[in-house]
């Protein structure tokens, strides 16, 4: 078990992407210090590579969905079984064409105070 009481999101995708991004940022820093265009370009390319590797690992199930996970899934060795379907509020999953897990059911009904109309409801013929 983990020594901390929170799910910090330690995942293979997170650690790998962070490591590659640190190397790319170090190259960018060296490029700034030495005023070297090739080093700046290489650092930027490595940082883009970090983004792509992290995204690929996330889609392969080595990342995590948004929000807290159950305590038994906190270890970085646990794969996300729901990654194939996509995560409901994940931009990366949507870009990959995965719709995400959404609850199927009736649309939520807006709650209004007595005497108020819900937004978008026509006052004249709501039932006709």
């Amino acid at each position: 078990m983990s020594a901390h009481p929170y799910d910090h999101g330690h995942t293979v995708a997170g650690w790998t992407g962070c490591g590659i991004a640190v190397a790319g940022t170090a190259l960018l820093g060296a490029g700034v210090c030495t005023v070297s265009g090739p080093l700046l370009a290489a650092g930027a390319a490595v940082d883009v590579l970090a983004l792509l590797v992290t995204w690929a690992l996330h889609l392969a199930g080595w990342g995590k969905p948004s929000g807290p996970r159950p305590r038994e899934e906190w270890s970085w060795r646990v794969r996300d079984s729901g990654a194939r379907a996509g995560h409901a509020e994940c931009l990366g999953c949507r870009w990959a064409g995965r719709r995400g897990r959404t609850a199927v059911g009736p649309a939520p009904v807006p709650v209004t105070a007595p005497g108020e109309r819900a937004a978008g409801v026509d006052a004249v013929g709501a039932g006709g």
Side-chain angles (χ1 to χ4, degrees):
M1 277 304 199
S2 179
H4 50 77
Y6 305 105
D7 175 21
H8 289 290
H10 302 297
T11 63
V12 173
W15 283 109
T16 304
C18 184
I20 296 170
V22 165
T25 304
L27 281 173
L28 279 169
V32 167
C33 290
T34 61
V35 191
S36 171
L39 273 179
L40 289 171
V46 171
D47 279 343
V48 170
L49 177 69
L51 177 72
L52 295 174
V53 166
T54 303
W55 184 33
L57 286 171
H58 171 77
L59 294 175
W62 289 109
K64 78 174 208 76
S66 299
R69 297 177 290 181
R71 192 171 192 71
E72 57 273 1
E73 295 179 14
W74 283 9
S75 173
W76 63 274
R77 295 176 196 95
V78 176
R79 285 185 81 166
D80 178 19
S81 60
R84 235 181 232 286
H87 303 112
E89 300 198 11
C90 177
L91 181 62
C93 288
R94 281 185 274 157
W95 281 355
R98 298 178 181 180
R99 297 275 185 231
R101 296 171 282 200
T102 56
V104 177
V109 178
V111 178
T112 59
E116 288 184 13
R117 275 190 307 192
V121 174
D122 185 35
V124 176

